[in-house]
PDB file of all heavy atoms in Angstrom:
ATOM      1  N   PHE A  30       8.891  75.055 157.399  1.00  0.00           N
ATOM      2  CA  PHE A  30       9.940  74.172 156.964  1.00  0.00           C
ATOM      3  C   PHE A  30      10.597  74.591 155.559  1.00  0.00           C
ATOM      4  O   PHE A  30      11.734  74.432 155.307  1.00  0.00           O
ATOM      5  CB  PHE A  30       9.533  72.748 156.878  1.00  0.00           C
ATOM      6  CG  PHE A  30      10.626  71.723 156.700  1.00  0.00           C
ATOM      7  CD1 PHE A  30      11.406  71.233 157.670  1.00  0.00           C
ATOM      8  CD2 PHE A  30      10.771  71.145 155.349  1.00  0.00           C
ATOM      9  CE1 PHE A  30      12.370  70.350 157.443  1.00  0.00           C
ATOM     10  CE2 PHE A  30      11.780  70.192 155.206  1.00  0.00           C
ATOM     11  CZ  PHE A  30      12.618  69.841 156.227  1.00  0.00           C
ATOM     12  N   ARG A  31       9.651  74.978 154.718  1.00  0.00           N
ATOM     13  CA  ARG A  31      10.026  75.376 153.396  1.00  0.00           C
ATOM     14  C   ARG A  31      10.315  76.875 153.270  1.00  0.00           C
ATOM     15  O   ARG A  31      10.604  77.380 152.174  1.00  0.00           O
ATOM     16  CB  ARG A  31       9.016  74.922 152.324  1.00  0.00           C
ATOM     17  CG  ARG A  31       9.080  73.445 152.062  1.00  0.00           C
ATOM     18  CD  ARG A  31       8.207  73.071 150.902  1.00  0.00           C
ATOM     19  NE  ARG A  31       8.603  71.730 150.427  1.00  0.00           N
ATOM     20  CZ  ARG A  31       7.883  71.041 149.530  1.00  0.00           C
ATOM     21  NH1 ARG A  31       6.868  71.666 148.874  1.00  0.00           N
ATOM     22  NH2 ARG A  31       8.268  69.805 149.188  1.00  0.00           N
ATOM     23  N   ASP A  32      10.268  77.609 154.383  1.00  0.00           N
ATOM     24  CA  ASP A  32      10.494  79.012 154.321  1.00  0.00           C
ATOM     25  C   ASP A  32      12.018  79.293 154.656  1.00  0.00           C
ATOM     26  O   ASP A  32      12.350  80.019 155.545  1.00  0.00           O
ATOM     27  CB  ASP A  32       9.644  79.727 155.417  1.00  0.00           C
ATOM     28  CG  ASP A  32       9.746  81.192 155.220  1.00  0.00           C
ATOM     29  OD1 ASP A  32       9.997  81.692 153.998  1.00  0.00           O
ATOM     30  OD2 ASP A  32       9.458  81.976 156.146  1.00  0.00           O
ATOM     31  N   HIS A  33      12.915  78.641 153.810  1.00  0.00           N
ATOM     32  CA  HIS A  33      14.344  78.924 154.048  1.00  0.00           C
ATOM     33  C   HIS A  33      14.850  79.610 152.722  1.00  0.00           C
ATOM     34  O   HIS A  33      14.321  79.359 151.584  1.00  0.00           O
ATOM     35  CB  HIS A  33      15.017  77.541 154.166  1.00  0.00           C
ATOM     36  CG  HIS A  33      14.717  76.897 155.525  1.00  0.00           C
ATOM     37  ND1 HIS A  33      15.644  77.074 156.630  1.00  0.00           N
ATOM     38  CD2 HIS A  33      13.830  76.128 155.965  1.00  0.00           C
ATOM     39  CE1 HIS A  33      15.193  76.409 157.659  1.00  0.00           C
ATOM     40  NE2 HIS A  33      14.000  75.796 157.319  1.00  0.00           N
ATOM     41  N   GLY A  34      15.829  80.349 152.965  1.00  0.00           N
ATOM     42  CA  GLY A  34      16.375  81.249 151.851  1.00  0.00           C
ATOM     43  C   GLY A  34      17.571  80.654 151.127  1.00  0.00           C
ATOM     44  O   GLY A  34      17.887  79.470 151.148  1.00  0.00           O
ATOM     45  N   ILE A  35      18.301  81.637 150.490  1.00  0.00           N
ATOM     46  CA  ILE A  35      19.448  81.366 149.641  1.00  0.00           C
ATOM     47  C   ILE A  35      20.543  80.705 150.488  1.00  0.00           C
ATOM     48  O   ILE A  35      21.288  79.783 149.975  1.00  0.00           O
ATOM     49  CB  ILE A  35      19.900  82.620 148.989  1.00  0.00           C
ATOM     50  CG1 ILE A  35      18.862  83.139 148.060  1.00  0.00           C
ATOM     51  CG2 ILE A  35      21.157  82.347 148.187  1.00  0.00           C
ATOM     52  CD1 ILE A  35      19.170  84.444 147.354  1.00  0.00           C
ATOM     53  N   LYS A  36      20.747  81.133 151.695  1.00  0.00           N
ATOM     54  CA  LYS A  36      21.847  80.578 152.522  1.00  0.00           C
ATOM     55  C   LYS A  36      21.683  79.099 152.745  1.00  0.00           C
ATOM     56  O   LYS A  36      22.668  78.314 152.587  1.00  0.00           O
ATOM     57  CB  LYS A  36      21.896  81.299 153.837  1.00  0.00           C
ATOM     58  CG  LYS A  36      23.020  80.896 154.765  1.00  0.00           C
ATOM     59  CD  LYS A  36      23.100  81.757 155.988  1.00  0.00           C
ATOM     60  CE  LYS A  36      21.873  81.637 156.891  1.00  0.00           C
ATOM     61  NZ  LYS A  36      22.023  82.341 158.168  1.00  0.00           N
ATOM     62  N   ASP A  37      20.509  78.690 153.058  1.00  0.00           N
ATOM     63  CA  ASP A  37      20.257  77.276 153.246  1.00  0.00           C
ATOM     64  C   ASP A  37      20.425  76.552 151.964  1.00  0.00           C
ATOM     65  O   ASP A  37      21.025  75.398 151.948  1.00  0.00           O
ATOM     66  CB  ASP A  37      18.843  77.041 153.784  1.00  0.00           C
ATOM     67  CG  ASP A  37      18.650  77.710 155.131  1.00  0.00           C
ATOM     68  OD1 ASP A  37      19.029  77.015 156.219  1.00  0.00           O
ATOM     69  OD2 ASP A  37      18.164  78.807 155.177  1.00  0.00           O
ATOM     70  N   ALA A  38      19.929  77.095 150.828  1.00  0.00           N
ATOM     71  CA  ALA A  38      20.065  76.426 149.514  1.00  0.00           C
ATOM     72  C   ALA A  38      21.492  76.270 149.164  1.00  0.00           C
ATOM     73  O   ALA A  38      21.952  75.259 148.589  1.00  0.00           O
ATOM     74  CB  ALA A  38      19.298  77.264 148.515  1.00  0.00           C
ATOM     75  N   PHE A  39      22.292  77.320 149.456  1.00  0.00           N
ATOM     76  CA  PHE A  39      23.714  77.339 149.195  1.00  0.00           C
ATOM     77  C   PHE A  39      24.458  76.158 149.856  1.00  0.00           C
ATOM     78  O   PHE A  39      25.219  75.382 149.327  1.00  0.00           O
ATOM     79  CB  PHE A  39      24.426  78.629 149.538  1.00  0.00           C
ATOM     80  CG  PHE A  39      25.886  78.597 149.471  1.00  0.00           C
ATOM     81  CD1 PHE A  39      26.567  78.619 148.267  1.00  0.00           C
ATOM     82  CD2 PHE A  39      26.686  78.457 150.626  1.00  0.00           C
ATOM     83  CE1 PHE A  39      27.967  78.565 148.191  1.00  0.00           C
ATOM     84  CE2 PHE A  39      28.005  78.418 150.554  1.00  0.00           C
ATOM     85  CZ  PHE A  39      28.679  78.474 149.371  1.00  0.00           C
ATOM     86  N   PHE A  40      24.139  76.014 151.211  1.00  0.00           N
ATOM     87  CA  PHE A  40      24.882  74.899 151.954  1.00  0.00           C
ATOM     88  C   PHE A  40      24.364  73.531 151.527  1.00  0.00           C
ATOM     89  O   PHE A  40      25.114  72.593 151.548  1.00  0.00           O
ATOM     90  CB  PHE A  40      24.665  75.138 153.445  1.00  0.00           C
ATOM     91  CG  PHE A  40      25.583  76.158 154.013  1.00  0.00           C
ATOM     92  CD1 PHE A  40      25.173  77.490 154.254  1.00  0.00           C
ATOM     93  CD2 PHE A  40      26.911  75.803 154.308  1.00  0.00           C
ATOM     94  CE1 PHE A  40      26.062  78.425 154.818  1.00  0.00           C
ATOM     95  CE2 PHE A  40      27.837  76.687 154.897  1.00  0.00           C
ATOM     96  CZ  PHE A  40      27.408  77.974 155.089  1.00  0.00           C
ATOM     97  N   LEU A  41      23.062  73.360 151.204  1.00  0.00           N
ATOM     98  CA  LEU A  41      22.661  72.157 150.696  1.00  0.00           C
ATOM     99  C   LEU A  41      23.250  71.807 149.323  1.00  0.00           C
ATOM    100  O   LEU A  41      23.545  70.616 149.043  1.00  0.00           O
ATOM    101  CB  LEU A  41      21.131  72.133 150.536  1.00  0.00           C
ATOM    102  CG  LEU A  41      20.345  71.891 151.911  1.00  0.00           C
ATOM    103  CD1 LEU A  41      18.885  72.121 151.710  1.00  0.00           C
ATOM    104  CD2 LEU A  41      20.527  70.446 152.411  1.00  0.00           C
ATOM    105  N   LEU A  42      23.400  72.836 148.522  1.00  0.00           N
ATOM    106  CA  LEU A  42      24.044  72.692 147.207  1.00  0.00           C
ATOM    107  C   LEU A  42      25.513  72.207 147.428  1.00  0.00           C
ATOM    108  O   LEU A  42      26.044  71.329 146.724  1.00  0.00           O
ATOM    109  CB  LEU A  42      23.976  73.925 146.421  1.00  0.00           C
ATOM    110  CG  LEU A  42      24.635  73.949 144.997  1.00  0.00           C
ATOM    111  CD1 LEU A  42      23.935  72.958 144.094  1.00  0.00           C
ATOM    112  CD2 LEU A  42      24.609  75.245 144.361  1.00  0.00           C
ATOM    113  N   LEU A  43      26.150  72.885 148.375  1.00  0.00           N
ATOM    114  CA  LEU A  43      27.574  72.532 148.715  1.00  0.00           C
ATOM    115  C   LEU A  43      27.650  71.115 149.163  1.00  0.00           C
ATOM    116  O   LEU A  43      28.659  70.297 148.826  1.00  0.00           O
ATOM    117  CB  LEU A  43      28.119  73.504 149.656  1.00  0.00           C
ATOM    118  CG  LEU A  43      29.674  73.391 150.097  1.00  0.00           C
ATOM    119  CD1 LEU A  43      30.392  73.792 148.834  1.00  0.00           C
ATOM    120  CD2 LEU A  43      29.966  74.407 151.220  1.00  0.00           C
ATOM    121  N   LEU A  44      26.621  70.700 149.977  1.00  0.00           N
ATOM    122  CA  LEU A  44      26.604  69.352 150.539  1.00  0.00           C
ATOM    123  C   LEU A  44      26.383  68.357 149.408  1.00  0.00           C
ATOM    124  O   LEU A  44      27.102  67.239 149.373  1.00  0.00           O
ATOM    125  CB  LEU A  44      25.468  69.192 151.509  1.00  0.00           C
ATOM    126  CG  LEU A  44      25.539  68.018 152.570  1.00  0.00           C
ATOM    127  CD1 LEU A  44      26.747  68.113 153.354  1.00  0.00           C
ATOM    128  CD2 LEU A  44      24.288  68.197 153.426  1.00  0.00           C
ATOM    129  N   THR A  45      25.612  68.741 148.444  1.00  0.00           N
ATOM    130  CA  THR A  45      25.346  67.822 147.271  1.00  0.00           C
ATOM    131  C   THR A  45      26.607  67.665 146.411  1.00  0.00           C
ATOM    132  O   THR A  45      26.975  66.620 145.950  1.00  0.00           O
ATOM    133  CB  THR A  45      24.240  68.502 146.380  1.00  0.00           C
ATOM    134  OG1 THR A  45      23.113  68.729 147.196  1.00  0.00           O
ATOM    135  CG2 THR A  45      23.837  67.457 145.234  1.00  0.00           C
ATOM    136  N   ILE A  46      27.306  68.813 146.238  1.00  0.00           N
ATOM    137  CA  ILE A  46      28.593  68.750 145.397  1.00  0.00           C
ATOM    138  C   ILE A  46      29.652  67.854 146.119  1.00  0.00           C
ATOM    139  O   ILE A  46      30.320  66.994 145.377  1.00  0.00           O
ATOM    140  CB  ILE A  46      29.138  70.159 145.242  1.00  0.00           C
ATOM    141  CG1 ILE A  46      28.191  70.961 144.328  1.00  0.00           C
ATOM    142  CG2 ILE A  46      30.482  70.139 144.519  1.00  0.00           C
ATOM    143  CD1 ILE A  46      28.576  72.503 144.304  1.00  0.00           C
ATOM    144  N   THR A  47      29.849  68.036 147.398  1.00  0.00           N
ATOM    145  CA  THR A  47      30.918  67.272 148.001  1.00  0.00           C
ATOM    146  C   THR A  47      30.552  65.825 148.138  1.00  0.00           C
ATOM    147  O   THR A  47      31.420  64.926 147.944  1.00  0.00           O
ATOM    148  CB  THR A  47      31.132  67.877 149.476  1.00  0.00           C
ATOM    149  OG1 THR A  47      29.904  67.870 150.159  1.00  0.00           O
ATOM    150  CG2 THR A  47      31.755  69.208 149.416  1.00  0.00           C
ATOM    151  N   THR A  48      29.330  65.418 148.300  1.00  0.00           N
ATOM    152  CA  THR A  48      28.884  63.987 148.425  1.00  0.00           C
ATOM    153  C   THR A  48      29.019  63.412 147.062  1.00  0.00           C
ATOM    154  O   THR A  48      29.290  62.180 146.926  1.00  0.00           O
ATOM    155  CB  THR A  48      27.527  63.858 148.969  1.00  0.00           C
ATOM    156  OG1 THR A  48      26.635  64.709 148.280  1.00  0.00           O
ATOM    157  CG2 THR A  48      27.496  64.178 150.505  1.00  0.00           C
ATOM    158  N   ALA A  49      28.774  64.147 146.024  1.00  0.00           N
ATOM    159  CA  ALA A  49      28.884  63.624 144.634  1.00  0.00           C
ATOM    160  C   ALA A  49      30.366  63.549 144.187  1.00  0.00           C
ATOM    161  O   ALA A  49      30.737  62.651 143.328  1.00  0.00           O
ATOM    162  CB  ALA A  49      28.135  64.516 143.634  1.00  0.00           C
ATOM    163  N   ALA A  50      31.255  64.334 144.771  1.00  0.00           N
ATOM    164  CA  ALA A  50      32.630  64.336 144.421  1.00  0.00           C
ATOM    165  C   ALA A  50      33.531  63.373 145.073  1.00  0.00           C
ATOM    166  O   ALA A  50      34.540  62.824 144.632  1.00  0.00           O
ATOM    167  CB  ALA A  50      33.213  65.787 144.634  1.00  0.00           C
ATOM    168  N   ILE A  51      33.071  62.898 146.279  1.00  0.00           N
ATOM    169  CA  ILE A  51      33.773  61.950 147.152  1.00  0.00           C
ATOM    170  C   ILE A  51      33.307  60.550 146.760  1.00  0.00           C
ATOM    171  O   ILE A  51      32.107  60.238 147.050  1.00  0.00           O
ATOM    172  CB  ILE A  51      33.702  62.273 148.608  1.00  0.00           C
ATOM    173  CG1 ILE A  51      34.098  63.634 149.005  1.00  0.00           C
ATOM    174  CG2 ILE A  51      34.519  61.257 149.391  1.00  0.00           C
ATOM    175  CD1 ILE A  51      34.002  64.030 150.387  1.00  0.00           C
ATOM    176  N   PRO A  52      34.122  59.553 146.270  1.00  0.00           N
ATOM    177  CA  PRO A  52      33.678  58.290 145.877  1.00  0.00           C
ATOM    178  C   PRO A  52      32.964  57.490 146.955  1.00  0.00           C
ATOM    179  O   PRO A  52      32.078  56.720 146.641  1.00  0.00           O
ATOM    180  CB  PRO A  52      34.978  57.614 145.396  1.00  0.00           C
ATOM    181  CG  PRO A  52      35.932  58.725 145.052  1.00  0.00           C
ATOM    182  CD  PRO A  52      35.578  59.839 145.974  1.00  0.00           C
ATOM    183  N   VAL A  53      33.332  57.555 148.230  1.00  0.00           N
ATOM    184  CA  VAL A  53      32.814  56.742 149.266  1.00  0.00           C
ATOM    185  C   VAL A  53      31.472  57.242 149.754  1.00  0.00           C
ATOM    186  O   VAL A  53      30.803  56.592 150.517  1.00  0.00           O
ATOM    187  CB  VAL A  53      33.828  56.711 150.493  1.00  0.00           C
ATOM    188  CG1 VAL A  53      35.084  56.014 150.023  1.00  0.00           C
ATOM    189  CG2 VAL A  53      34.093  58.025 151.028  1.00  0.00           C
ATOM    190  N   PHE A  54      31.097  58.433 149.313  1.00  0.00           N
ATOM    191  CA  PHE A  54      29.771  58.982 149.833  1.00  0.00           C
ATOM    192  C   PHE A  54      28.755  58.953 148.598  1.00  0.00           C
ATOM    193  O   PHE A  54      29.030  58.830 147.477  1.00  0.00           O
ATOM    194  CB  PHE A  54      29.921  60.446 150.245  1.00  0.00           C
ATOM    195  CG  PHE A  54      30.574  60.612 151.563  1.00  0.00           C
ATOM    196  CD1 PHE A  54      31.951  60.865 151.614  1.00  0.00           C
ATOM    197  CD2 PHE A  54      29.945  60.400 152.769  1.00  0.00           C
ATOM    198  CE1 PHE A  54      32.631  61.014 152.805  1.00  0.00           C
ATOM    199  CE2 PHE A  54      30.613  60.562 153.994  1.00  0.00           C
ATOM    200  CZ  PHE A  54      31.927  60.892 153.905  1.00  0.00           C
ATOM    201  N   SER A  55      27.428  58.983 149.040  1.00  0.00           N
ATOM    202  CA  SER A  55      26.384  58.936 148.062  1.00  0.00           C
ATOM    203  C   SER A  55      25.636  60.304 148.244  1.00  0.00           C
ATOM    204  O   SER A  55      25.279  60.671 149.399  1.00  0.00           O
ATOM    205  CB  SER A  55      25.480  57.778 148.218  1.00  0.00           C
ATOM    206  OG  SER A  55      24.295  57.908 147.450  1.00  0.00           O
ATOM    207  N   SER A  56      25.251  60.890 147.178  1.00  0.00           N
ATOM    208  CA  SER A  56      24.446  62.157 147.268  1.00  0.00           C
ATOM    209  C   SER A  56      22.990  61.940 147.226  1.00  0.00           C
ATOM    210  O   SER A  56      22.216  62.928 147.305  1.00  0.00           O
ATOM    211  CB  SER A  56      24.830  63.029 146.065  1.00  0.00           C
ATOM    212  OG  SER A  56      24.614  62.383 144.847  1.00  0.00           O
ATOM    213  N   SER A  57      22.524  60.682 147.196  1.00  0.00           N
ATOM    214  CA  SER A  57      21.098  60.476 147.031  1.00  0.00           C
ATOM    215  C   SER A  57      20.304  60.925 148.164  1.00  0.00           C
ATOM    216  O   SER A  57      19.261  61.522 147.998  1.00  0.00           O
ATOM    217  CB  SER A  57      20.907  58.888 146.888  1.00  0.00           C
ATOM    218  OG  SER A  57      21.463  58.199 148.018  1.00  0.00           O
ATOM    219  N   VAL A  58      20.818  60.705 149.427  1.00  0.00           N
ATOM    220  CA  VAL A  58      20.082  61.269 150.650  1.00  0.00           C
ATOM    221  C   VAL A  58      19.904  62.789 150.603  1.00  0.00           C
ATOM    222  O   VAL A  58      18.848  63.299 150.870  1.00  0.00           O
ATOM    223  CB  VAL A  58      20.699  60.722 151.929  1.00  0.00           C
ATOM    224  CG1 VAL A  58      19.946  61.250 153.158  1.00  0.00           C
ATOM    225  CG2 VAL A  58      20.701  59.199 151.964  1.00  0.00           C
ATOM    226  N   VAL A  59      20.968  63.451 150.213  1.00  0.00           N
ATOM    227  CA  VAL A  59      20.985  64.915 150.157  1.00  0.00           C
ATOM    228  C   VAL A  59      20.034  65.339 149.064  1.00  0.00           C
ATOM    229  O   VAL A  59      19.237  66.308 149.196  1.00  0.00           O
ATOM    230  CB  VAL A  59      22.389  65.476 149.976  1.00  0.00           C
ATOM    231  CG1 VAL A  59      22.424  66.915 149.908  1.00  0.00           C
ATOM    232  CG2 VAL A  59      23.308  64.910 151.023  1.00  0.00           C
ATOM    233  N   CYS A  60      20.043  64.692 147.967  1.00  0.00           N
ATOM    234  CA  CYS A  60      19.130  65.071 146.857  1.00  0.00           C
ATOM    235  C   CYS A  60      17.659  64.909 147.233  1.00  0.00           C
ATOM    236  O   CYS A  60      16.863  65.754 146.821  1.00  0.00           O
ATOM    237  CB  CYS A  60      19.500  64.216 145.567  1.00  0.00           C
ATOM    238  SG  CYS A  60      21.112  64.605 144.860  1.00  0.00           S
ATOM    239  N   ILE A  61      17.345  63.818 147.982  1.00  0.00           N
ATOM    240  CA  ILE A  61      16.022  63.586 148.330  1.00  0.00           C
ATOM    241  C   ILE A  61      15.661  64.748 149.418  1.00  0.00           C
ATOM    242  O   ILE A  61      14.526  65.293 149.321  1.00  0.00           O
ATOM    243  CB  ILE A  61      15.840  62.250 149.065  1.00  0.00           C
ATOM    244  CG1 ILE A  61      15.983  61.076 148.059  1.00  0.00           C
ATOM    245  CG2 ILE A  61      14.498  62.151 149.819  1.00  0.00           C
ATOM    246  CD1 ILE A  61      16.027  59.721 148.602  1.00  0.00           C
ATOM    247  N   PHE A  62      16.528  65.110 150.265  1.00  0.00           N
ATOM    248  CA  PHE A  62      16.369  66.235 151.210  1.00  0.00           C
ATOM    249  C   PHE A  62      16.058  67.578 150.517  1.00  0.00           C
ATOM    250  O   PHE A  62      15.290  68.338 150.934  1.00  0.00           O
ATOM    251  CB  PHE A  62      17.514  66.307 152.167  1.00  0.00           C
ATOM    252  CG  PHE A  62      17.255  67.163 153.408  1.00  0.00           C
ATOM    253  CD1 PHE A  62      16.282  66.699 154.402  1.00  0.00           C
ATOM    254  CD2 PHE A  62      17.877  68.343 153.633  1.00  0.00           C
ATOM    255  CE1 PHE A  62      16.030  67.492 155.421  1.00  0.00           C
ATOM    256  CE2 PHE A  62      17.544  69.160 154.758  1.00  0.00           C
ATOM    257  CZ  PHE A  62      16.652  68.694 155.639  1.00  0.00           C
ATOM    258  N   ASN A  63      16.766  67.733 149.438  1.00  0.00           N
ATOM    259  CA  ASN A  63      16.707  68.975 148.593  1.00  0.00           C
ATOM    260  C   ASN A  63      15.230  69.021 148.142  1.00  0.00           C
ATOM    261  O   ASN A  63      14.620  70.126 148.190  1.00  0.00           O
ATOM    262  CB  ASN A  63      17.593  69.065 147.478  1.00  0.00           C
ATOM    263  CG  ASN A  63      19.048  69.222 147.885  1.00  0.00           C
ATOM    264  OD1 ASN A  63      19.398  69.644 148.946  1.00  0.00           O
ATOM    265  ND2 ASN A  63      20.020  68.821 147.023  1.00  0.00           N
ATOM    266  N   GLY A  64      14.699  67.922 147.636  1.00  0.00           N
ATOM    267  CA  GLY A  64      13.341  67.956 147.135  1.00  0.00           C
ATOM    268  C   GLY A  64      12.332  68.187 148.291  1.00  0.00           C
ATOM    269  O   GLY A  64      11.316  68.848 148.071  1.00  0.00           O
ATOM    270  N   ALA A  65      12.622  67.714 149.461  1.00  0.00           N
ATOM    271  CA  ALA A  65      11.738  67.779 150.582  1.00  0.00           C
ATOM    272  C   ALA A  65      11.712  69.315 151.125  1.00  0.00           C
ATOM    273  O   ALA A  65      10.708  69.793 151.494  1.00  0.00           O
ATOM    274  CB  ALA A  65      12.114  66.902 151.689  1.00  0.00           C
ATOM    275  N   CYS A  66      12.898  69.856 151.037  1.00  0.00           N
ATOM    276  CA  CYS A  66      13.013  71.304 151.596  1.00  0.00           C
ATOM    277  C   CYS A  66      12.499  72.366 150.541  1.00  0.00           C
ATOM    278  O   CYS A  66      12.004  73.341 151.050  1.00  0.00           O
ATOM    279  CB  CYS A  66      14.511  71.609 151.896  1.00  0.00           C
ATOM    280  SG  CYS A  66      15.084  70.589 153.365  1.00  0.00           S
ATOM    281  N   PHE A  67      12.870  72.141 149.317  1.00  0.00           N
ATOM    282  CA  PHE A  67      12.540  73.272 148.347  1.00  0.00           C
ATOM    283  C   PHE A  67      11.572  72.867 147.217  1.00  0.00           C
ATOM    284  O   PHE A  67      11.346  73.619 146.337  1.00  0.00           O
ATOM    285  CB  PHE A  67      13.872  73.726 147.718  1.00  0.00           C
ATOM    286  CG  PHE A  67      14.811  74.475 148.663  1.00  0.00           C
ATOM    287  CD1 PHE A  67      15.765  73.736 149.372  1.00  0.00           C
ATOM    288  CD2 PHE A  67      14.651  75.778 148.882  1.00  0.00           C
ATOM    289  CE1 PHE A  67      16.604  74.426 150.231  1.00  0.00           C
ATOM    290  CE2 PHE A  67      15.387  76.535 149.787  1.00  0.00           C
ATOM    291  CZ  PHE A  67      16.429  75.796 150.461  1.00  0.00           C
ATOM    292  N   GLY A  68      11.011  71.676 147.301  1.00  0.00           N
ATOM    293  CA  GLY A  68       9.995  71.339 146.322  1.00  0.00           C
ATOM    294  C   GLY A  68      10.602  70.647 145.079  1.00  0.00           C
ATOM    295  O   GLY A  68      11.852  70.642 144.988  1.00  0.00           O
ATOM    296  N   PRO A  69       9.804  70.076 144.237  1.00  0.00           N
ATOM    297  CA  PRO A  69      10.371  69.270 143.103  1.00  0.00           C
ATOM    298  C   PRO A  69      11.081  70.118 142.056  1.00  0.00           C
ATOM    299  O   PRO A  69      12.123  69.604 141.487  1.00  0.00           O
ATOM    300  CB  PRO A  69       9.108  68.670 142.416  1.00  0.00           C
ATOM    301  CG  PRO A  69       7.882  69.566 142.928  1.00  0.00           C
ATOM    302  CD  PRO A  69       8.348  70.103 144.304  1.00  0.00           C
TER     303      PRO A  69
END
């Protein structure tokens, strides 16, 4: 599960940026998923 590379990190980062930039969305779930996928 944690053996994912730069490509996955890039898309998760992109997902974090867009959810933080759009007022109606929250980036909290994505941020929690980032910690689960790539560690603290």
Side-chain angles (χ1 to χ4, degrees):
F30 188 81
R31 283 193 167 172
D32 191 25
H33 289 266
I35 297 177
K36 184 173 64 175
D37 299 275
F39 169 77
F40 278 99
L41 278 172
L42 180 62
L43 189 61
L44 200 58
T45 309
I46 294 172
T47 50
T48 51
I51 303 177
V53 296
F54 288 98
S55 173
S56 60
S57 57
V58 175
V59 182
C60 290
I61 292 173
F62 194 69
N63 290 340
C66 293
F67 291 94

